[in-house]
């Protein structure tokens, strides 16, 4: 593969959104990152509320239980807020990227024997094949991790181009590991 191959992607925001926000990824409280913490925090809140309602039945020596449960609830709420903040920042980055895609006229991938370049309206990111650590391909997209990280949806290119990209990436990234 000495000659340069060029794949032009359709920069359709909807295609990329469907991948990035699939499976509640964009939900602040019920994304895969925050769902468990949300459920745990709600459960802790319910337990604290029930114990608070029954506080008159507690002896003075058992009052520490209410404080302990309140502390657990507070801890859960802090962990949840950190996760929500993380998802919120990720969501803002993705929306910024999607806005760039919405306005772009050129979105192409160029690769040859030595280099892999992504060009979005003249903003080029070039990597050597050895800069990539892993590739993951599913039925809907290919993700590439390394110096730069990319996600290329299947619907943004032709089947022939998708197959060429997938096979080339698997071959080049595998041989560098």
């Amino acid at each position: 593969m000495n000659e340069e191959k060029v794949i032009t992607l359709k920069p359709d925001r909807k295609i990329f959104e469907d991948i990035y926000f699939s499976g509640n990824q964009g939900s602040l409280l019920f994304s895969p990152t925050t769902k468990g913490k949300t459920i745990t925090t709600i459960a802790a809140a319910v337990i604290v509320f029930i114990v608070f309602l029954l506080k008159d039945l507690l002896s003075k020596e058992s009052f520490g239980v209410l404080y302990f449960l309140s502390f657990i609830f507070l801890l859960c709420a802090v962990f949840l807020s950190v996760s929500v903040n993380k998802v919120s920042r990720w969501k803002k980055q993705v929306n910024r990227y999607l806005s760039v895609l919405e306005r772009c006229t050129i979105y192409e991938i160029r690769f040859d024997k030595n280099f892999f370049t992504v060009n979005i309206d003249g903003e080029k990111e070039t990597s050597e094949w050895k800069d990539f650590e892993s590739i993951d391909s599913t039925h809907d997209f290919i993700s590439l991790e390394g110096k730069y990280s990319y996600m290329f949806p299947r619907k943004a290119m032709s089947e022939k181009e998708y197959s060429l990209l997938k096979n080339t990436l698997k071959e080049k990234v595998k041989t560098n590991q």
Side-chain angles (χ1 to χ4, degrees):
M1 183 178 72
N2 287 337
E3 78 272 3
E4 184 177 63
K5 304 281 187 198
V6 178
I7 296 176
T8 303
L9 284 82
K10 293 178 274 186
D12 183 356
R13 182 182 181 118
K14 178 80 173 111
I15 292 172
F16 286 81
E17 269 181 349
D18 289 347
I19 304 279
Y20 279 117
F21 298 126
S22 68
N24 271 346
Q25 294 270 77
S27 171
L28 293 180
L29 295 177
F30 294 103
S31 73
T33 306
T34 58
K35 185 177 183 178
K37 292 175 182 82
T38 300
I39 292 169
T40 303
T41 303
I42 291 169
V46 167
I47 291 169
V48 167
F49 181 71
I50 290 170
V51 171
F52 184 75
L53 289 177
L54 302 174
K55 73 177 186 228
D56 295 333
L57 300 176
L58 294 174
S59 65
K60 286 199 182 251
E61 295 82 31
S62 302
F63 239 77
V65 171
L66 182 61
Y67 294 126
F68 177 73
L69 291 174
S70 297
F71 174 74
I72 296 294
F73 167 69
L74 201 58
L75 204 56
C76 290
V78 167
F79 283 128
L80 176 62
S81 69
V82 168
S83 290
V84 165
N85 187 33
K86 184 177 171 184
V87 170
S88 176
R89 280 184 288 153
W90 172 82
K91 195 173 175 180
K92 283 180 186 175
Q93 286 177 329
V94 168
N95 279 321
R96 245 183 276 131
Y97 173 69
L98 293 175
S99 294
V100 167
L101 280 185
E102 215 169 31
R103 293 186 303 269
C104 93
T105 54
I106 299 171
Y107 188 174
E108 62 186 14
I109 303 168
R110 294 177 174 271
F111 53 91
D112 60 23
K113 189 173 103 176
N114 301 313
F115 297 100
F116 183 86
T117 303
V118 174
N119 176 10
I120 299 177
D121 276 346
E123 294 289 323
K124 295 179 182 178
E125 294 176 342
T126 301
S127 303
E128 291 182 78
W129 288 111
K130 65 181 170 96
D131 294 335
F132 294 110
E133 298 160 6
S134 66
I135 173 182
D136 183 30
S137 64
T138 68
H139 178 70
D140 296 323
F141 66 92
I142 299 171
S143 67
L144 190 57
E145 300 289 327
K147 177 181 171 184
Y148 301 108
S149 295
Y150 302 105
M151 188 276 300
F152 305 114
R154 177 182 221 132
K155 292 180 182 177
M157 59 190 99
S158 72
E159 280 301 315
K160 183 180 173 188
E161 290 172 328
Y162 185 80
S163 180
L164 171 68
L165 180 63
K166 182 168 118 177
N167 293 334
T168 302
L169 291 175
K170 282 186 176 183
E171 174 191 321
K172 291 294 189 178
V173 173
K174 182 179 72 172
T175 57
N176 288 324
Q177 295 180 351

